[in-house]
Amino acid sequence: GLGLMIGVQLTDKAAPVIRTMQDNGVLALPAGPRVVRFLPALNMPMADLQGLAAGLTAALATAQSAA
């Protein structure tokens, strides 16, 4: 079906961020060593989109504090 592909390029490795997001129920995939890829549906509800943003923010904070 139709969807959207979004990549977020990081300055550090993406794997710890992706792992943290997946542990928190957010589906994220790698698209290279420093890129987090999202493939949301075009009709994704705003609440789910806000959850994704919150999950990414939390995962980035966790990764930054671990570095």
Side-chain angles (χ1 to χ4, degrees), residues 16-43:
V17 174
I18 292 169
R19 193 172 315 112
T20 300
M21 293 184 72
Q22 290 174 343
D23 289 346
N24 291 318
V26 177
L27 181 58
L29 302 166
R34 299 181 190 278
V35 179
V36 179
R37 176 175 36 193
F38 302 100
L39 301 166
L42 286 175
N43 60 348

